[in-house]
Structures are given as C-alpha cells and as structure tokens.
C-alpha cells in the first residue's frame, strides 16, 4: 500500500509544472475528443435500446426493458475494484396496456438525453420534470415519478459504462470549493477556447466546482488532495495558504460531498495519479456517511460508484485514537451514532472488508464519545496547521484504509 | 424609484472598465486603511467596555453589561433606512456570585476577539467554543452557551456600528458562487499583495465567496447583480454566459443566502452602486425567507441587518402574476406555505409597509399554488435565458419592491 502511494506521489510531482497554454489546449483537446467518442457511444446505446423496442413492436411482440435493481441487497464490494458494484438482479418492464404510459415516458426521457448530447446542453432532474409538461400524454404528474425514471435510465446505461453525466443529467446541488496547487482546464462549450483556472490565485476565496466536470482536465504538481468536511476548517487552511506549505490541493466537501465534488476529486486523482486524504469529524457520520461514500460509494446508488467513488482515498483523521493522543474535547455518542456504527460493523461490506476499520469503530464505541475536527482548536486556532496536519502527514502509511 | 435606478445604472456603467493592477492596488489600499481604522475602533470599543467593568470593580461596585434584546418584538422597519433595525430594549447582566462564570466568559470572549483583530485572524463559533476549553474555569460546557455569548457580544457592539466580521467572528457555512462581469480585489492577509480575480474567467465553474469579505473591493462595469435561488438555474445561466449578453453579475444563493453571501452582495452593490435583482421560486419561502432576508434582514438577527441586508434589492420573479402570464406548471400551496404567507401579511413589518407585496401575497393565496423558477423549462430548457429574463429586464420598474 505504502509503495503504491509513493510511486503515485512521484508521478504527481513529475507532472508538468507550469504548462503553457499550448499544452493546456492539447490536454483539453484530448479530453474533448475522448468525450466526443463517449458521446458517440452514449447516442449509440440510446438508439440501440430504442431500436430494439421498435423492432419488437413491428414484430407485434411485447418489447421490454430490463433495469438493474437499485438496493443494498444487489451490491457487492471487492477490495480489488475498490468500490460498491451493482449486482446482476434486474427488474423487467414489459410494454402492456398498464405500463404504456411509464414505458412511453422512459423512451421520451431517453430521447431528451439524446437531444441534450447532440446540443451539448444539460438538464437537472427538475428541468427534466418541467420539460415533460410539454410531452402531452407522456408528461409526468409528480417529480418523484420523473426522478425514478431518470434513475432507472441511469442504472440501465451504467451497466454499459455510460454515466449520468454522459447522459447530460446533472445535479441541482452546488459543487464544493477548491483552492491550492491546481490549474483547471475548461474549454468553452461553444468555441472550445481554453480557460486555465489557477486555483492558487483566488485570494481568500476559492474555485466553485461546476455541476458537471466531464469536460475538465488538470495540471498540477501537488503531492496530494486534502478533502475537508467543514467550511470552517477549509477557510482556515485556505486563508493561511496551507496548500503552499504542504504542496497540496484543498477541497471543501461541506458535509457529504455532492456528486459533482466526488466526480471532480475522482477525475483529478485519476488523471494526475494523486492520493486523496480525507479529514473529517470523528463520528459515525463522518466515517461512514462522508468518508465511506467518498471512497466506495453508497448502497442505493451503487450503479454510480464506478464513476463517482474515489477508491484512492485514505483516512487522515480525526481517528478515535486521535481523541486520546490529542486529548480532544468530545461529545457523548448519541443513540443514532451508536446505531450507525453498529450497522456499519454488521452490514456494511466496506467496513467488514477492513480489519483496521473494525478496530477503529469498536474503539469509538468503547470510548462512547465523538470529536469534531475543530476540537483541535483547543490547542490554539492554528494548531491544526502548525502541528496536527504536519505530524499526520509524516506517517501516511498509518492512515486508515 | 425608476429614476433612482436609472442613475445607479449609469454610474455603474461608468465604473473603471478594465482597471490596471495599480488601480486595483489603490482600491485595495483604501479598503485596507478603512479596515485598519475600523480595527482601531473595534479594539477601542472592546477596551473601553472592559475598562468600565474594571473600574467598577476597583470601586467595589457591581459592574454590569447591557445587551440589546434580540427578538422580533424589539425590531422596527423604516422604508427610509431600508432594513430591520434593533430597538432600544436592553437586558442587563450584573456581576454577582451567580453570574460570575458567564460574566467572566463574556469578557474572555471579548478578549479573544481583540486577539483575533490584532493577529488579523478569525474564528468560527465552533473554533471559539473549542478555544474556550483551555480557559480553565471559564470554559464552556456546551457550544450553545458560547454561541449565545458570541451573539450577545455581537449585539452589544452592533449598537456602536461594529459588525460580527469586524470582531473576527466568521460563519462556518460555505459562501455562494459568483460568475460574470466582475473583478474581485483581494489583498493577501500577510503581504498585502493584491490578487485580481476575474469572474468572467472561471469557465463553467465559479468564484466561491470566502467566509469573510470585509477586505474585498471590486471593479465592474456590469449593469446589475442577479441573485439566484437554485444552483440549477445559476449553472444554466453561467454555462450559457448570460452574464455576457445581459452585462451582469450572477450570484448563486443556494436557498436562504448565507451571511457571507449577503454581505458580499451588499458590499458589491454599495461600492459599485449596482441594483440587485432577486430571481427565486414563487412561494412564501422564496418570497419571505429568501427575498425578505436578503433585502431587509431577519427578525431574530436584526442587530446584523445594518451590515448584512441589501436594501437596494428588487424582486424580478417568479411573481404570482408570472404563474398566469407564463402558464407555469404549479404545485398546490402546502399548509405551511399558507401559514407563512398569512403570517407575513399580518406580522411582518416589511410586507405591511409595501402595498404591492400585500397584493402579490393575496394573489398567491387566492391562486392556491406555488411555482418553482425551473418551471419555465416547460417552454424549453433555455426559455429562461432567451425569453423570460430579457422580457422581465425590459420592464424593471415593474419589479416588486
């Protein structure tokens, strides 16, 4: 594990230090042509699916569509792959008198996706719902219905390696904030002209991640990405330019990271071979909901994990052992915390696969307390910058998996 | 009203178009020296307050501190001032055997603020709570206690024109996202070196507002600021460069705008004499919680309104009349919506002061439905850009107050 990380760091350091606009354009062109290839695949898959239905109808047969079942029971976790994978269970929707409306809606939604790809545009779930209001008999009455159809289509195409973002369905949520040793390369959607966005040049502010990040590429010579739970700690590290002294990229997750934030970290980490370290509160929510979701995905959206999770993430802290080592102020675990931790130990394939995590969760339950990352402020507001993080970063092989 | 706005627009258009680094440095120096003057005032006010207590104790008298009462009942609204103002009711805390701990904590917290000003650092509420863990007998047991003390100190000093940010207490929340015709000037906290952040150069991403914006200044020749409720609409306008065609600055509020976002819009609007237009959902939450808070402040934090509210804001839409004019898809008003609207009509000094708002809320209640801003997607995903906003912006004098 340590060896893998070392070589990754080495590669990252070798990456083009202050690449010229020409290099940026070249990188952007590569991503663009990859995306165009992928757009071709997306349209092909949509057309092939629709074509299958059409041919069945012409044969006076009943066409059907088979969607992967989206639930924790249809999920597997392999350490090798590094993320939750959706299983083989399928639910089949056959075109009958009873299903004609939802069948038509599904096809119409696939048509919308094809249109969006062709116009290089995008739609949020809410956009798509309201768009349907002009689909006459195929319009949706409730957004929950159109959301479910979109989720089914996502799951259907994910099996063929097409992501939600490639279907041009984008989230409505805000993205996270980024600061540090990173240049984001963003080609204009119409002209293709490249914008090089230097994340060291935002003063006390930061770069806000867009809803969709598929078209982005990166230049960096940072050594790692630090993914931070709270806005307060992010602002402290950003204002004191921790990214400069530690040669890293700071990402503010603001709680459970949004899809755009996870996809951004994943693409960045993949392209630049950067390790990712998570710095979150020491409680079952920080460990299981935030860290686990970032690293391997979540149960009910396992069909997305292959695109969204960041398997190269490791857990910097705050660990249960830190509570003791740093004599942190704590709060008692709430019932919901205890339940969450016990659930994780019993049912979560990720924690069940990692002994060190089982020990850590058991230690947390035994301590009976939780600690926030800002608890380090007990030793001084900038103790986190001057002491805690440097000490931790000297022993990266001790990070939890 | 229309005349006032026109002249404001004219001034905005006249503003330095692409000011040089020299000009930026000059502007930043001005803000810096203003802030330094203000820091002097802050420290003076803190010292004078502490000194008063000290002298009373030396005289063997019982010192006391008088804090403004923070509640809707102690709030007034004048159209002239344009925001909720805190009234004259005070609660007095006298140093006795029973109050000695909270009295000491209040003084200690004022001392922390003085330290932060002197070191040009900052603390979130959580930071301050954990800092107190090293204050021995004066430490807080619960964060709610330290939050209340900080709120009291804020209210106490707000009466003397000192804001929370000047006390260096900053929020933990993320800031909003910004894109468009704006250059943010941000001097480095240590070197004073100026960073000019061009918000037209973020590609599909955006500028993320920092927790504290006191040190920022601006260059712009935009005609107005458009404050947007949802991330989805912001991303659409940003990706299609609406800020270019409409010559404006886009701000994503992502629901009720955070303090940092409100303060940012206020400073920007004040410094550059820019009108602000709000574009939110047509429901009592969008109108009362989001728009009203942005424009005049909120009841329980009226002591902050003078710093945070943006009285120059007007309401672009979505209006109840738009639901009819644009045949928007709607949802029925929920009980909580009806209650909120009736409350606003009956108890809210802002809506009671503005006849057009009373009519609009009554129309909404009569229609019995609400509409989201994305409902415009019924007419096409980019209808909002191609039709709705241009039409609205042609008749700015019709915007609700």
């Amino acid at each position: 594990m340590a060896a893998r990380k070392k070589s990754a760091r080495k590669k990252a350091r070798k990456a083009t230090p202050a690449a010229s606009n020409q290099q940026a354009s070249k990188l952007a062109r590569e991503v663009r042509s990859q995306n165009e290839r992928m757009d071709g695949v997306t349209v092909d898959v949509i057309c092939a699916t629709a074509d299958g239905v059409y041919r069945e109808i012409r044969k006076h047969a009943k066409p059907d569509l088979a969607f992967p079942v989206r639930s924790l029971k249809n999920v597997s976790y392999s350490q090798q792959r590094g993320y939750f994978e959706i299983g083989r269970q399928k639910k089949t929707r056959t075109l009958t008198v009873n299903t004609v409306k939802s069948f038509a809606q599904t096809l119409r939604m696939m048509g919308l996706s094809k249109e969006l790809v062709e116009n290089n545009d995008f739609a949020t779930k809410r956009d798509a719902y309201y768009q349907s209001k002009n689909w006459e008999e195929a319009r949706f009455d409730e957004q929950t219905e159109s959301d479910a159809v979109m989720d089914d289509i996502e799951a259907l195409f994910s099996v063929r390696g097409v992501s939600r973002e490639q279907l041009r369905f984008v989230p409505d949520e805000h993205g996270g904030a980024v600061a540090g040793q990173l240049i984001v390369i963003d080609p204009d959607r119409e002209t293709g002209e490249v914008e090089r966005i230097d994340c060291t040049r935002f003063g006390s502010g930061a770069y806000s991640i867009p809803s969709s990040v598929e078209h982005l590429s990166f230049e960096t010579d940072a050594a790692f990405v630090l993914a931070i739970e709270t806005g307060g700690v992010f602002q402290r590290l950003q204002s004191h330019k921790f990214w400069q002294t530690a040669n890293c990229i700071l990402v503010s997750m603001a709680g459970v990271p949004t899809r755009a934030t996870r996809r951004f970290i994943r693409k960045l980490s993949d392209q630049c071979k950067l390790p990712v370290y998570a710095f979150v509160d020491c409680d079952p929510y920080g460990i299981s909901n935030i860290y686990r979701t970032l690293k391997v995905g979540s149960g009910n959206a396992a069909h997305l994990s292959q695109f969204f999770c960041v398997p190269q993430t490791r857990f910097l802290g705050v660990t249960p052992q830190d509570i003791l080592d740093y004599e942190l102020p704590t709060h008692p675990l709430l019932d919901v915390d205890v339940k969450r931790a016990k659930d994780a130990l019993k049912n979560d394939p990720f924690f069940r696969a990692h002994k060190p995590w089982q020990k850590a969760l058991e230690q947390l339950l035994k301590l009976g307390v939780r600690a926030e990352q800002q608890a380090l402020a007990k030793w001084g507001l900038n103790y986190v910058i001057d002491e805690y993080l440097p000490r931790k970063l000297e022993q990266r092989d001790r990070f939890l998996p």
Side-chain angles (χ1 to χ4, degrees), chain A:
Chain A
M1 217 37 182
R4 207 203 79 202
K5 204 137 43 66
K6 232 181 211 163
S7 89
R9 277 181 62 196
K10 229 166 156 188
K11 268 191 224 158
R13 284 192 193 279
K14 265 196 229 155
T16 45
S20 67
N21 265 327
Q22 263 189 337
Q23 281 172 299
S25 296
K26 189 168 162 260
L27 211 52
R29 270 200 307 278
E30 277 169 26
V31 170
R32 200 182 179 126
S33 74
Q34 266 170 32
N35 283 349
E36 278 168 3
R37 259 199 312 280
M38 208 49 231
D39 282 348
V41 172
T42 307
V43 170
D44 286 351
V45 172
I46 294 174
C47 290
T49 309
D51 209 47
V53 171
Y54 179 74
R55 271 178 293 137
E56 286 298 301
I57 292 175
R58 296 278 293 182
K59 283 194 281 178
H60 298 281
K62 284 186 194 154
D64 54 32
L65 292 167
F67 304 94
V69 172
R70 291 179 286 112
S71 95
L72 242 184
K73 287 188 184 145
N74 192 27
V75 161
S76 67
Y77 173 67
S78 91
Q79 255 176 281
Q80 192 110 44
R81 286 253 186 178
Y83 51 81
F84 281 177
E85 279 184 290
I86 199 152
R88 291 165 178 279
Q89 287 173 46
K90 294 251 173 14
K91 60 175 179 190
T92 300
R93 194 174 293 153
T94 306
L95 177 58
T96 66
V97 174
N98 290 330
T99 63
V100 64
K101 186 173 173 188
S102 73
F103 208 91
Q105 287 172 324
T106 306
L107 291 170
R108 196 77 205 241
M109 192 67 93
M110 282 162 47
L112 172 63
S113 171
K114 178 166 168 283
E115 237 175 84
L116 292 170
V117 174
E118 285 165 352
N119 300 328
N120 198 16
D121 209 336
F122 58 87
T124 66
K125 284 191 165 174
R126 210 175 268 188
D127 282 335
Y129 165 67
Y130 286 114
Q131 261 280 284
S132 85
K133 292 294 182 183
N134 250 347
W135 293 354
E136 295 171 10
E137 289 308 304
R139 73 174 163 273
F140 292 98
D141 294 324
E142 296 289 338
Q143 201 192 314
T144 44
E145 294 169 21
S146 61
D147 286 359
V149 166
M150 288 174 91
D151 289 341
D152 278 345
I153 293 177
E154 270 176 55
L156 175 65
F157 290 120
S158 77
V159 181
R160 319 226 183 145
V162 174
S163 75
R164 186 189 179 192
E165 269 60 26
Q166 283 153 353
L167 293 167
R168 294 294 201 281
F169 297 157
V170 306
D172 224 325
E173 326 144 310
H174 73 97
V178 179
Q181 310 282 22
L182 171 69
I183 289 170
V184 179
I185 299 164
D186 188 342
D188 187 89
R189 56 181 287 288
E190 273 164 14
T191 64
E193 211 175 299
V194 158
E195 203 66 80
R196 293 176 80 243
I197 302 154
D198 184 344
C199 298
T200 64
R201 305 296 301 275
F202 295 133
S204 52
Y207 169 72
S208 173
I209 300 171
S211 310
S212 175
V213 302
E214 297 312 310
H215 57 297
L216 302 181
S217 47
F218 308 98
E219 287 169 20
T220 183
D221 56 355
F224 61 92
V225 177
L226 189 66
I228 301 158
E229 176 173 345
T230 63
V233 171
F234 174 81
Q235 188 68 60
R236 178 157 302 280
L237 299 190
Q238 154 67 337
S239 289
H240 289 265
K241 292 208 175 67
F242 178 73
W243 47 263
Q244 198 166 54
T245 42
N247 189 32
C248 69
I249 300 162
L250 307 173
V251 180
S252 165
M253 300 189 284
V256 175
T258 61
R259 285 179 174 201
T261 305
R262 286 152 61 196
R263 183 72 182 139
F264 180 89
I265 298 175
R266 165 68 176 277
K267 274 193 68 121
L268 170 59
S269 169
D270 274 2
Q271 193 203 304
C272 305
K273 308 277 181 294
L274 289 184
V276 178
Y277 306 138
F279 181 26
V280 302
D281 287 348
C282 182
D283 56 32
Y285 188 81
I287 292 169
S288 156
N289 295 45
I290 298 180
Y291 176 71
R292 204 276 324 270
T293 302
L294 175 66
K295 181 170 174 123
V296 299
S298 64
N300 63 353
H303 61 288
L304 296 169
S305 302
Q306 59 176 310
F307 310 111
F308 283 100
C309 67
V310 190
Q312 49 275 67
T313 311
R314 300 189 73 202
F315 192 88
L316 178 147
V318 180
T319 64
Q321 186 60 38
D322 287 343
I323 294 181
L324 303 174
D325 293 348
Y326 293 88
E327 299 169 34
L328 297 181
T330 57
H331 300 278
L333 286 180
L334 302 173
D335 289 349
V336 57
D337 292 322
V338 174
K339 189 178 168 306
R340 197 171 266 142
K342 286 189 174 165
D343 256 14
L345 282 168
K346 199 173 154 204
N347 300 319
D348 193 309
F350 172 69
F351 295 106
R352 289 174 64 86
H354 293 285
K355 263 260 158 12
W357 267 120
Q358 288 163 33
K359 277 192 192 159
L361 285 172
E362 276 156 12
Q363 184 181 19
L364 188 69
L365 284 168
K366 208 172 141 197
L367 290 170
V369 292
R370 60 193 174 85
E372 292 168 333
Q373 43 180 186
Q374 273 151 308
L376 292 157
K378 174 187 172 189
W379 303 112
L381 290 172
N382 293 316
Y383 182 83
V384 59
I385 294 173
D386 300 332
E387 295 289 334
Y388 179 80
L389 287 172
R391 266 197 231 170
K392 281 275 172 174
L393 288 165
E394 266 171 27
Q395 304 192 304
R396 300 177 201 206
D397 51 336
R398 292 212 194 160
F399 289 170
L400 284 160

